[in-house]
Amino acid sequence: MPPRKTPAYDEMFDGEGEIRPHYREFADWMSAQSAATMTAKRVEADLSFRRVGITFSLAGDEAGTERLIPFDLIPRIIPAAEWQRLDAGLRQRARALNLFLHDIYHDHEIVRAGKIPPEQVFMNAQYRPEMQDVDVPGDVYCHIAGIDVVRAGAGEFYVLEDNLRVPSGVSYMLENRKVSMRLMADAFGRIRVAPVAHYPDLLLDSLRDVSPVGDEPTVVVLTPGQYNSAYFEHAFLAQQMGVELVEGRDLFVDENTVYMRTTHGPKRVDVIYRRVDDDFLDPLAFRSDSVLGVPGLLSVYRAGRITLANAIGTGIADDKSTYLYVPEMIRFYLGEEPILSNVPTWQCSRPQELSYVLEHMAELVVKEVHGAGGYGMLVGPGASRAEIEAFRARVRAHPANYIAQPTLALSTVPTYVENGIAPRHVDLRPYVVCGGRQITTVPGGLCRVALREGSLVVNSSQGGGTKDTWVLEN
């Protein structure tokens, strides 16, 4: 497998074309496989995902056709020492974000100290005044965080964004590992890779840990239903945790308690891992036209008789304009310097920064502050002049809705493409689980890969694929 020249940091090959130490065992294993064997393994991987039913909708496909998640057999491998630093930085960030959420819904100390502008919090669409002075079990607001991390040209790690509302993709992480272990079992026999299969148990234990009742709490997964693009993941996690998958119509409120309808009669529910957005959770408190939520749920929540994971109102902390302030949150709440750096960011609500972004848009990545899944963004170097002009008009009309960042040369990992093996850009979404007593990061995460040559957009909805992530144990 010859090295390929690329201006980005290549995770497998160094600048001299030599295989980096943490990839040598895998490279030896792969070089011993015939081309026919690897082709057969790739076909079997596709069949495995088809059997399991992991699909997604491609952006721009008006028919909404469900497609297989493209999975690449060549893993992203992270050495133990690098992971230790990432793990510490991710847990530090999750601690600070939870403290920030508790603060803004209680004493507003960070605002009063002048570390974050009041309008950034209280004028933000994701701020929920209904949560003011609401105490949540263990003071945990973000129980599951998916924190996107990228590696730039010199090999340094940056946090790209924080996903705290309903972070998705963990089912792909788990299924990628299952397929990898089955198809490359002998490689796993040679290489000590940290496990990820314990994630459902870790998640369930953490959810039980923040239950408002002590003994044998009932946990459910709340889904919008089978037509949601992430329904497979909702069903998968419920099955893996051994809990019920429910829709809003399966739950009801009586005497300030949430119950689940069962064939044996009503059963009290104590913890809801919800995959429904805030606006649709309770038609009596938020959108009155919602048929996805549970009438009266907010009143039960405010009374401390149900735990919602993640908490209502966490969106203010994963807003892309709030992201700018996370390093200051770490200093303010923890008295520490950030272990992981943010990507340099321009906030378009600031006139001077807006002027720079409008003038240099062809060089930047511009994002909607509430956007997700690769939607609502412009990658300037890959956009046409017409696309740039149209996006410039959108930013000029509503500058507060946008941020901009430099176009990083994301690191690459060798990847199977139509013409063989070539470097493709990757990112990583590790999952951080916050219980009442500890914060744990699963070793690895969802590695997304941009399959189109030169593309920096890794989202599956934009044509990207996935890789397994191997964190070495030594």
Side-chain angles (χ1 to χ4, degrees):
M1 190 166 51
R4 304 296 183 92
K5 296 297 182 182
T6 171
Y9 181 89
D10 191 307
E11 306 224 351
M12 186 168 181
F13 297 98
D14 65 20
E16 302 301 318
E18 298 295 325
I19 295 173
R20 299 185 190 277
H22 59 286
Y23 261 99
R24 286 176 188 160
E25 283 278 5
F26 178 79
D28 290 345
W29 174 86
M30 193 168 176
S31 64
Q33 314 302 308
S34 68
T37 297
M38 293 306 295
T39 297
K41 290 180 184 293
R42 293 171 63 203
V43 171
E44 176 59 26
D46 287 344
L47 290 173
S48 295
F49 283 103
R50 192 179 300 278
R51 285 193 295 266
V52 172
I54 302 183
T55 60
F56 69 100
S57 298
L58 195 65
D61 184 350
E62 295 182 1
T65 306
E66 292 293 309
R67 304 173 185 237
L68 285 176
I69 286 281
F71 170 71
D72 187 70
L73 274 177
I74 302 174
R76 182 181 191 176
I77 301 179
I78 300 176
E82 287 185 1
W83 178 255
Q84 289 170 5
R85 178 175 174 80
L86 272 174
D87 173 64
L90 293 164
R91 289 187 289 107
Q92 178 194 58
R93 199 168 178 100
R95 284 198 305 274
L97 286 164
N98 266 309
L99 289 167
F100 168 71
L101 286 163
H102 180 270
D103 182 24
I104 63 166
Y105 289 117
H106 286 80
D107 298 329
H108 316 143
E109 291 180 0
I110 197 167
V111 174
R112 290 191 284 108
K115 302 297 183 181
I116 187 169
E119 62 271 15
Q120 178 61 39
V121 175
F122 305 117
M123 300 299 291
N124 194 299
Q126 297 299 317
Y127 172 73
R128 299 291 178 179
E130 298 88 351
M131 288 293 294
Q132 185 61 44
D133 297 322
V134 175
D135 294 321
V136 299
D139 290 337
V140 179
Y141 288 75
C142 173
H143 307 81
I144 308 100
I147 299 177
D148 292 349
V149 179
V150 296
R151 196 167 195 168
E156 68 276 27
F157 286 102
Y158 289 96
V159 173
L160 188 63
E161 61 183 56
D162 307 288
N163 298 280
L164 306 185
R165 281 174 280 184
V166 282
S168 62
V170 73
S171 60
Y172 306 138
M173 174 188 77
L174 296 172
E175 286 299 318
N176 288 351
R177 177 58 54 85
K178 287 182 182 178
V179 170
S180 292
M181 291 186 71
R182 188 172 74 253
L183 298 182
M184 298 184 287
D186 45 346
F188 278 87
R190 298 167 58 166
I191 304 169
R192 295 187 61 187
V193 180
V196 297
H198 63 291
Y199 176 84
D201 293 334
L202 172 65
L203 176 59
L204 182 59
D205 289 345
S206 296
L207 293 174
R208 287 173 170 166
D209 193 33
V210 292
S211 167
V213 300
D215 297 327
E216 297 300 320
T218 298
V219 179
V220 300
V221 176
L222 175 63
T223 176
Q226 62 180 324
Y227 297 109
N228 184 270
S229 62
Y231 180 74
F232 165 83
E233 176 157 298
H234 308 164
F236 177 89
L237 285 173
Q239 187 272 331
Q240 292 291 307
M241 288 192 290
V243 304
E244 293 294 331
L245 178 69
V246 300
E247 298 181 31
R249 61 190 176 186
D250 300 318
L251 305 177
F252 68 94
V253 171
D254 185 44
E255 294 186 355
N256 229 19
T257 303
V258 178
Y259 292 94
M260 171 174 51
R261 294 181 172 90
T262 77
T263 56
H264 301 290
K267 182 175 183 179
R268 189 193 70 215
V269 173
D270 306 300
V271 181
I272 300 176
Y273 177 26
R274 52 100 173 199
R275 302 300 292 263
V276 175
D277 290 341
D278 287 357
D279 285 339
F280 301 95
L281 272 177
D282 183 348
L284 300 183
F286 303 115
R287 285 187 54 159
S288 61
D289 61 344
S290 172
V291 295
L292 304 177
V294 184
L297 179 61
L298 179 63
S299 65
V300 181
Y301 190 43
R302 289 177 62 89
R305 296 174 62 86
I306 190 78
T307 294
L308 297 177
N310 287 341
I312 294 172
T314 52
I316 181 64
D318 77 0
D319 178 288
K320 290 179 177 62
S321 60
T322 303
Y323 158 91
L324 280 72
Y325 299 96
V326 177
E328 192 56 44
M329 293 178 199
I330 293 170
R331 298 183 186 100
F332 183 78
Y333 295 116
L334 304 179
E336 301 169 359
E337 282 301 307
I339 296 171
L340 299 175
S341 298
N342 276 14
V343 176
T345 304
W346 293 272
Q347 195 164 4
C348 295
S349 60
R350 299 169 179 169
Q352 188 172 355
E353 296 183 27
L354 172 63
S355 297
Y356 179 87
V357 171
L358 293 174
E359 184 177 348
H360 295 85
M361 191 165 286
E363 308 163 17
L364 304 174
V365 177
V366 189
K367 304 176 182 179
E368 287 184 353
V369 296
H370 303 312
Y375 298 103
M377 67 181 289
L378 176 86
V379 181
S384 67
R385 181 175 297 180
E387 289 170 333
I388 291 171
E389 288 305 317
F391 214 90
R392 183 179 281 120
R394 290 163 59 181
V395 174
R396 187 178 284 116
H398 301 287
N401 291 348
Y402 295 90
I403 59 142
Q405 296 171 329
T407 306
L408 298 179
L410 304 186
S411 62
T412 64
V413 175
T415 301
Y416 278 103
V417 296
E418 288 185 8
N419 298 324
I421 296 175
R424 289 293 184 263
H425 297 290
V426 292
D427 80 349
L428 181 66
R429 176 175 294 178
Y431 294 93
V432 187
V433 180
C434 305
R437 288 166 290 185
Q438 64 179 357
I439 298 176
T440 306
T441 304
V442 181
L446 174 64
C447 176
R448 300 178 297 182
V449 54
L451 296 176
R452 290 195 294 268
E453 184 175 3
S455 175
L456 296 171
V457 183
V458 299
N459 307 77
S460 58
S461 57
Q462 311 292 315
T466 66
K467 288 175 173 286
D468 194 7
T469 305
W470 298 6
V471 173
L472 301 184
E473 290 192 319
N474 54 25

